[in-house]
Amino acid sequence: MTLALDVDVFTLFPHWFDWFRGQRHVANALALGSSLECVDYRAHTPLRAGQVDDTPFGGGAGMVLRVDVVEAALRARYGEDPVTLRARRRVIALTPGGRLLDDGLVEELAAERELTLLCGRYEGFDERILEHFCSDLVSIGRYVLAGGELAAMVVCDAVMRKLPGALGHGESAHEESFSAALDGAPEYPHYTRPAEWRGWTVPDVLLSGHHARIRAWRAEQSRARAEQSGGASLS
Ligand code: ADE
């Protein structure tokens, strides 16, 4: 895990991220030195009238984000050939067929100092963008969104809450669902006051004050949930 992370999001809708920056843990991470900046493909397009996409060769529905447009935006931001950029910086395309995001990948990304996220729209990216400019292709699930922006927010949300101080005092992302601390299993159940509601009680062990027994009970609950959900365990 790194102390602060600089994230650049390439998108056609930079203003969508204004709301996202205001989310508590994101705002905390930004206040502690991380950054989340957007680059608008349209602001850097070499084409006329702000064009960024085109019809697919071979025919078919929808529009495809152009390789020359993405290259221009990356060059404007980093002042170098995107082909060499990806060797020193993770450049991640959000795409439904990519590597599925899970806690392991989130930890991996939270250990970086800098990330670049490329959002596609419509039918997605010209394949040469993925092949030559990107170090990673990431998917948030096997379904198709209208664009990569929500997926980029999901990645940033999950990664930024892992940064030190993002969750605020006393909260931790260490022992939570799918973390290594729980062996990749879902988290154990939580209860709070009232201890009884409509006859629904809290397991006695949690009220016992016996820390070792509580730890053992939680570990057992977490294991049982992993088995129920088809073995989410990392080990
Ligand atoms: N872009 C469109 N659908 C997506 C998905 N499921 N994951 C990541 N990026 C996407």
Side-chain angles (χ1 to χ4, degrees), residues 93-97 120 138-149 151-152:
L94 282 316
T95 179
V138 170
S139 170
I140 63 161
R142 296 291 185 242
Y143 43 80
V144 180
L145 301 166
E149 283 76 13

Side-chain angles (χ1 to χ4, degrees), residues 65-144:
L65 195 57
R66 287 176 54 135
V67 63
D68 50 350
V69 169
V70 174
E71 171 156 347
L74 286 165
R75 277 187 187 275
R77 178 70 176 175
Y78 303 111
E80 87 177 81
D81 186 341
V83 172
T84 56
L85 176 70
R86 73 166 177 188
R88 64 167 184 83
R89 178 180 180 111
R90 278 178 99 154
V91 179
I92 301 170
L94 282 316
T95 179
R99 172 177 169 192
L100 277 177
L101 186 69
D102 62 9
D103 190 69
L105 179 53
V106 170
E107 287 282 355
E108 211 180 293
L109 299 180
E112 297 287 333
R113 273 286 301 121
E114 305 167 319
L115 295 175
T116 296
L117 304 180
L118 303 184
C119 303
R121 275 268 125 191
Y122 320 115
E123 282 309 291
F125 299 95
D126 184 301
E127 189 64 21
R128 294 166 290 186
I129 298 168
L130 308 180
E131 204 174 314
H132 300 291
F133 299 164
C134 296
S135 58
D136 304 73
L137 313 183
V138 170
S139 170
I140 63 161
R142 296 291 185 242
Y143 43 80
V144 180

